[in-house]
Amino acid sequence: MAKLPLPKEEYLYRGHAACPGCGAPLAMRYTMKALGPRVIMNVPAGCTPVIGGVWPRTAFKFDMMDHAFESTGAVSSGIRAALDAKGIEDATVLGWAGDGGTVDIGLQALSGAVDRGTDFIYVMMDNEAYMNTGIQCSGSTPIGAWTTTTPLGKKCEIILQRKKKIMEMMVANGIVYGATVNVAYPEDFVKRVRKATEYEGPKFIHALSPCAPGWRVDTAKTVEVARLATQTNMFPLYEVQGNEYRLTKTIKERKPVSEYLKTQGRFRRISEDMAIKIQAMVDEEYEELLRKVEQSKG
Amino acid sequence: MIEIITSNYAAAYAAKLSRVEVIAAYPITPQTSISEKLAELVDTGEMDAKYIKVESEHSAMAAVIGASYVGARTFTATSSQGLALMHENLIWAAGVNRPIVMPVAARALSGPWTIWSDHSDVISERDAGWMQFFCENNQETLDMTIMAYKIAEDREIMTPAMVIEDGFILSHTVEAVDMPSQEEVDDFLPPFDPEFKIDFKSEPRRYAGVLAPDWWQEHRYRRMLDMEHSKEKIVEVERDFERRFGRSYGGLVEFYRCDDADVALVIAGAPTGTAKDVVDEMRDRGKKVGLVKLRSFRPFPGEELVKLNDMVSMVGVFDKSYTMGQGGAFFQEIRNALYSPDGVPIKNYIGGLGGRDVTKKNIELIFEDLLSLSKKGKVDRIIDWVALKGGPRRWE
């Protein structure tokens, strides 16, 4: 596959306040490279406001507003309505929230915005826990992962839940385009976000982005670990147009999930039995995805 | 042109006349007919605005905050539980200088369930950083909403405003309302033109980002100055309004027949009209009573109210809300404002809670109580509950 040349423009100044090895600035750089400068980004509580630095400085070279935790979908609808009222047609409204701000506390407003048919792109920056408050379990934390609220002691049943299937919820809700992307695949990332701009209506991008301190990985391994998530089918890359599914990354030699799990301290305490269960779950979910892809072809 | 309309419709027509550009709407009793009327006006093309059907009041406030950053004049309305649900975003809106105007059909906060009127919802938001204007009748709802935009959007103020109409008592009662023409309102209220907005004409900015401790206190100080400064602006805008439309309401507080009064009662919202009738009737019988209509609770008109110390010998304060363990909110703050070692005695009357009628008889008895206390020169019970079942006999 010919590689997509990434635009040279950068919309993040040097000196942002992300932790070493953070995936979020990568995700933001790729997103902005895809969208260009006529963007209004809105962001709730989370790591991103901190990454931008404190007033009067900002790391962001685009218009951006911070707001309350639950509000990303609603603020996006408001911005779009005002742009329409003002006759500004060529600007992209970008809602940018973490996994907690999306699958948990922000779900209602996001669902409302999709229901209203708001013309915007929503990027869920998924680092699989509440990382800004210090690694607490969110609805997007994977099964078996240690967090400070799922301490994996003797009674580890509290973490025996799967990640919420946010893409499925959004597809059912009525998005016009959805895609999973991964900071380990920048060309694909840019391509998917750019593709989202071709549609009018609500678009949902689910971006996997490791958190080195939260995942308990070496800060130099962010991209490596993120890539393993896709290579093991823990986080397959696909897109949905309407309800037609298409794989955007085919993994020729799928690696065992255990290879992904052992790279991260957060999975350190799970048993072999649990690892086998997770493998079975990942296989089952991947089969389900393939079925949808096949059905879409038919 | 005279229209016979409810206060809710007056609020909706005020939004239309103010050329609101973005409306966020969610139903709640007794505000709902504002949102319904606006939907109709937008649908028929009588009004040129974007109408966002949100999924909660929290989102309604979030949506208008977002729209306001793009320089749109925004509107939403709420009541009671909806206002409480908005709480977090009310504080955001004020903290980030969004001059949103929002009628509140004031209603008691549940539980147990109640849908009827009192002021406990808006009083609960007295620290949200919003201006709070209480309306006496439907005409004032219309006029105050239009004026509120002019005050809120002033570049030196940039503060959101609640226009408070007592639920059902005003929101659902029809009255004659003099509707100004669009041209007259256009001439009075210029388009919203904030100093900072996202229009892609200037360098990109970050709005409402993180303020560290070395600036947060200065930010709060600046918001305090904005609120203080709004006092002059409210008076100035009302004078301008009066010159153009021939109606005025007395600025921050209206002193009604207080000049030679022995006692005065401070009151806000819909009961004011009833109380004015009582004052007139008692005056006819030679009783020297006066009324103080509290129009603006935020900003709080302490300098105006302190004049009462020299005007009367006894002050009563009527509250349609109760702060547990402390008496009504108006009372607490007015007593603070009036306090001095030789200040006038002051007494609190709690009534009209959860939709209980505030009758002429109630108010007359309050005045009689004040007159008899003024002869004694001191207050017996500091807080009295009006017409409470099983309460003191004089309220029967």
Side-chain angles (χ1 to χ4, degrees):
Chain A
M1 189 183 89
K3 292 214 165 183
L4 177 79
L6 292 181
K8 290 212 162 32
E9 291 81 6
E10 292 288 352
Y11 297 95
L12 218 58
Y13 291 106
R14 277 171 288 184
H16 62 71
C19 302
C22 177
L26 297 178
M28 197 180 291
R29 280 177 63 209
Y30 304 152
T31 301
M32 291 308 300
K33 279 174 186 290
L35 297 178
R38 284 178 81 84
V39 165
I40 304 177
M41 184 196 263
N42 71 87
V43 175
C47 292
T48 306
V50 180
I51 291 170
V54 298
W55 188 87
R57 296 173 189 85
T58 175
F60 305 132
K61 210 171 165 182
F62 46 86
D63 284 305
M64 191 265 208
M65 68 181 75
D66 296 64
H67 54 72
F69 209 177
E70 314 86 319
S71 302
T72 315
V75 171
S76 298
S77 293
I79 296 169
R80 174 51 69 192
L83 288 170
D84 290 347
K86 298 286 179 193
I88 302 174
E89 287 168 359
D90 60 341
T92 304
V93 179
L94 175 63
W96 178 281
D99 47 295
T102 302
V103 306
D104 293 342
I105 198 169
L107 187 59
Q108 176 180 301
L110 170 59
S111 168
V114 174
D115 178 45
R116 289 185 286 274
T118 297
D119 182 18
F120 79 131
I121 299 175
Y122 190 106
V123 176
M124 164 176 160
M125 236 278 311
D126 189 6
N127 53 26
E128 302 193 324
Y130 292 88
M131 296 309 189
N132 190 45
T133 39
I135 323 169
Q136 293 82 28
C137 184
S138 83
S140 198
T141 300
I143 187 166
W146 164 90
T147 68
T148 57
T149 51
T150 52
L152 297 185
K154 283 179 187 156
K155 293 184 177 179
C156 61
E157 68 265 24
I158 54 171
I159 42 83
L160 295 182
Q161 86 272 325
R162 299 177 180 196
K163 275 171 81 92
K164 281 195 197 177
K165 294 186 178 178
I166 186 66
M167 185 64 84
E168 296 305 300
M169 291 161 87
M170 289 299 107
V171 169
N173 205 169
I175 51 168
V176 292
Y177 178 78
T180 60
V181 296
N182 183 333
V183 291
Y185 298 92
E187 292 92 350
D188 178 69
F189 199 124
V190 171
K191 222 169 169 177
R192 300 279 86 76
V193 176
R194 197 169 274 171
K195 190 162 183 183
T197 64
E198 291 167 15
Y199 297 83
E200 197 173 318
K203 282 86 61 174
F204 184 78
I205 304 286
H206 181 175
L208 186 75
S209 167
C211 166
W215 289 20
R216 297 290 193 249
V217 295
D218 188 302
T219 54
K221 304 275 187 193
T222 305
V223 170
E224 205 173 296
V225 169
R227 189 174 292 125
L228 269 174
T230 296
Q231 288 171 334
T232 57
N233 286 342
M234 281 291 282
F235 194 83
L237 299 186
Y238 62 96
E239 63 180 4
V240 197
Q241 296 161 58
N243 51 11
E244 293 203 352
Y245 287 72
R246 196 178 75 82
L247 290 179
T248 52
K249 188 97 209 154
T250 321
I251 304 300
K252 291 206 179 75
E253 285 179 42
R254 183 185 56 76
K255 294 182 176 174
V257 164
S258 59
E259 210 169 301
Y260 174 70
L261 301 178
K262 75 181 181 202
T263 57
Q264 301 157 59
R266 63 174 173 158
F267 294 116
R268 190 168 55 88
R269 292 176 68 174
I270 63 172
S271 63
E272 251 174 63
D273 274 2
M274 173 87 87
I276 291 165
K277 272 186 200 158
I278 295 175
Q279 179 70 62
M281 187 196 85
V282 168
D283 290 345
E284 181 196 312
E285 289 187 351
Y286 191 68
E287 286 302 316
E288 193 186 315
L289 175 63
L290 287 183
R291 269 200 302 280
K292 284 178 185 158
V293 172
E294 284 306 311
Q295 277 168 6
S296 302
K297 283 178 187 163
Chain B
M1 192 169 72
I2 302 291
E3 299 267 5
I4 310 297
I5 53 173
T6 63
S7 180
N8 273 355
Y9 277 21
Y13 280 109
K16 173 178 179 275
L17 289 166
S18 301
R19 292 196 185 276
V20 160
E21 294 163 286
V22 173
I23 299 159
Y26 188 80
I28 184 163
T29 303
Q31 168 279 126
T32 313
S33 59
I34 301 178
S35 300
E36 288 173 336
K37 188 69 194 172
L38 287 169
E40 185 190 315
L41 292 171
V42 171
D43 184 49
T44 56
E46 281 178 76
M47 186 175 177
D48 184 19
K50 301 293 164 195
Y51 191 93
I52 315 175
K53 179 187 70 64
V54 284
E55 79 295 335
S56 79
E57 287 91 348
H58 192 280
S59 282
M61 189 44 55
V64 293
I65 290 170
S68 178
Y69 277 116
V70 188
R73 179 171 288 157
T74 60
F75 182 93
T76 186
T78 194
S79 296
S80 185
Q81 309 299 111
L83 186 71
L85 183 58
M86 273 183 189
H87 175 71
E88 182 192 23
N89 274 331
L90 294 175
I91 291 171
W92 262 96
V96 299
N97 301 72
R98 298 295 93 205
I100 296 153
V101 171
M102 175 170 73
V104 181
R107 170 187 143 186
L109 286 170
S110 306
W113 279 117
T114 169
I115 58 163
W116 293 277
S117 169
D118 70 28
H119 294 157
S120 54
D121 52 358
V122 286
I123 292 303
S124 296
E125 301 301 341
R126 63 173 146 162
D127 293 333
W130 285 55
M131 295 186 281
Q132 293 189 320
F133 304 124
F134 284 84
C135 297
E136 180 182 339
N137 52 43
N138 299 0
Q139 183 72 59
E140 192 170 6
T141 303
L142 182 122
D143 294 348
M144 195 61 233
T145 305
I146 296 167
M147 282 190 271
Y149 278 108
K150 190 153 181 170
I151 298 159
E153 290 172 1
D154 184 283
R155 285 185 173 190
E156 298 299 313
I157 296 171
M158 291 292 282
T159 297
M162 291 178 203
V163 179
I164 300 154
E165 38 150 19
D166 289 43
F168 292 113
I169 297 165
L170 295 186
S171 71
H172 284 61
T173 301
V174 292
E175 289 180 344
V177 172
D178 189 351
M179 192 85 70
S181 71
Q182 186 65 61
E183 294 70 36
E184 286 172 306
V185 176
D186 287 346
D187 199 38
F188 171 74
L189 180 66
F192 179 37
D193 181 25
E195 191 178 353
F196 301 104
K197 65 182 170 204
I198 301 173
D199 58 3
F200 301 106
K201 286 179 184 153
S202 56
E203 281 292 297
R205 291 192 186 93
R206 181 175 177 192
Y207 296 82
V210 184
L211 273 192
D214 52 352
W215 283 109
W216 179 260
Q217 195 159 309
E218 285 66 24
H219 166 70
R220 298 307 290 169
Y221 182 73
R222 178 59 212 251
R223 298 299 298 117
M224 182 275 282
L225 291 180
D226 296 342
M227 185 63 88
E228 283 301 304
H229 181 51
S230 72
K231 290 180 185 172
E232 293 162 35
K233 193 73 193 174
I234 292 162
V235 174
E236 181 193 317
V237 166
E238 207 200 356
R239 279 203 200 107
D240 184 26
F241 190 90
E242 183 183 15
R243 208 178 60 242
R244 292 159 185 268
F245 300 94
R247 291 185 294 276
S248 73
Y249 299 94
L252 300 160
V253 284
E254 179 193 358
F255 290 94
Y256 184 77
R257 304 189 77 165
C258 284
D259 285 347
D260 61 338
D262 290 331
V263 299
L265 181 66
V266 187
I267 201 163
T272 313
T274 311
K276 281 179 178 170
D277 281 353
V278 174
V279 168
D280 292 344
E281 286 165 19
M282 291 180 80
R283 283 277 177 172
D284 289 347
R285 298 201 299 272
K287 310 256 183 175
K288 292 166 93 175
V289 295
L291 197 76
V292 180
K293 171 181 163 182
L294 187 63
R295 291 192 67 229
S296 169
F297 184 49
R298 289 289 182 273
F300 183 73
E303 300 88 344
E304 304 286 325
L305 289 162
V306 79
K307 292 175 193 161
L308 284 169
N309 271 341
D310 299 324
M311 291 170 89
V312 294
S313 60
M314 187 72 66
V315 171
V317 178
F318 185 81
D319 273 285
K320 269 182 77 167
S321 70
Y322 182 75
T323 302
M324 286 302 153
Q326 266 294 350
F330 296 155
F331 170 70
Q332 294 167 42
E333 299 201 9
I334 293 168
R335 186 166 60 169
N336 279 353
L338 265 55
Y339 174 77
S340 81
D342 41 30
V344 67
I346 176 167
K347 176 168 174 175
N348 192 195
Y349 300 89
I350 306 288
L353 301 189
R356 181 71 56 83
D357 274 348
V358 181
T359 63
K360 282 166 72 173
K361 187 75 188 161
N362 294 156
I363 291 169
E364 191 176 337
L365 288 168
I366 290 172
F367 276 123
E368 294 293 356
D369 188 42
L370 284 171
L371 286 167
S372 91
L373 290 171
S374 78
K375 285 198 190 90
K376 291 183 208 155
K378 69 182 181 92
V379 174
D380 51 357
R381 257 187 309 273
I382 295 169
I383 302 162
D384 236 339
W385 287 59
V386 175
L388 191 69
K389 287 186 181 70
R393 284 182 66 85
R394 66 173 174 279
W395 298 115
E396 282 166 10

